[in-house]
Amino acid sequence: MQKFPMTGKGLQRLEDELRKLKSEERPAVIRAIAEARSHGDLSENAEYHAARERQSFIEGRILELEEIVSSAEVIDPSTLSGDQVKFGAQVSLVDEETDKEATYQIVGVHEADIKQGLLSISSPLAKSLIGKKIGDSVSVPAPGGDRTYEILAVTYG
């Protein structure tokens, strides 16, 4: 069975989503299907078809989340240290071309959210950062050409 590395926070978010799907979304869609059925002819009932599609999505997401949660390997970044970039590290970077600074935490694939600064371990940027140290420059392929970043800080916890 494949293990999915993730942080405790990431696992908690997935467990919360799973709980909400099972306790709120699933019962709501079942009620919506029952309501739509009561309107008669199902062949031309858009509400019924929309509710069934939603049910299919919910059931699929529940199965996916159950698999991920049961296979999660929680890694606590606060137990890690050092100046090398590893899973869970908070990395501050500066774009050497634009001088724009950014900070990302390297997290598991299923908890990544770039808008929140959570960078997937499988992303090109994270892959290029792993194993590097403060002061190192990394080159990352990007759609508009390679970008080069300097590592300003690496923290854990």
Side-chain angles (χ1 to χ4, degrees):
M1 181 190 303
Q2 181 183 0
K3 288 286 186 189
F4 298 110
M6 65 179 56
T7 63
K9 279 187 202 172
L11 179 60
Q12 185 62 52
R13 270 197 309 275
L14 293 178
E15 287 173 337
D16 290 347
E17 181 185 352
L18 181 58
R19 204 170 4 269
K20 182 178 183 199
L21 285 171
K22 286 180 165 183
S23 66
E24 295 174 27
E25 303 281 332
R26 182 188 267 166
V29 80
I30 289 169
R31 284 191 302 274
I33 290 170
E35 171 73 21
R37 272 196 180 130
S38 71
H39 296 159
D41 185 10
L42 298 181
S43 65
E44 294 180 23
N45 187 329
E47 286 175 15
Y48 175 76
H49 293 289
R52 292 291 299 192
E53 268 185 45
R54 178 79 181 135
Q55 181 185 36
S56 177
F57 171 81
I58 289 169
E59 295 303 327
R61 183 66 177 154
I62 286 172
L63 288 174
E64 179 183 26
L65 287 172
E66 286 175 338
E67 161 106 10
I68 294 165
V69 167
S70 69
S71 303
E73 181 180 349
V74 176
I75 297 171
D76 182 357
S78 67
T79 64
L80 305 173
S81 63
D83 59 354
Q84 244 187 351
V85 179
K86 310 179 250 221
F87 180 91
Q90 191 96 20
V91 184
S92 296
L93 309 167
V94 62
D95 184 319
E96 293 183 350
E97 191 177 304
T98 65
D99 285 335
K100 185 177 174 199
E101 291 187 24
T103 300
Y104 301 105
Q105 181 180 15
I106 298 176
V107 298
V109 173
H110 299 289
E111 60 184 315
D113 183 347
I114 200 68
K115 290 179 182 144
Q116 293 185 23
L118 302 174
L119 186 65
S120 170
I121 186 81
S122 66
S123 71
L125 178 55
K127 285 179 179 178
S128 67
L129 291 170
I130 297 293
K132 301 294 191 285
K133 297 180 179 180
I134 296 169
D136 286 352
S137 286
V138 296
S139 183
V140 182
D146 288 4
R147 308 291 307 206
T148 306
Y149 300 93
E150 181 184 344
I151 300 172
L152 302 176
V154 177
T155 56
Y156 293 93

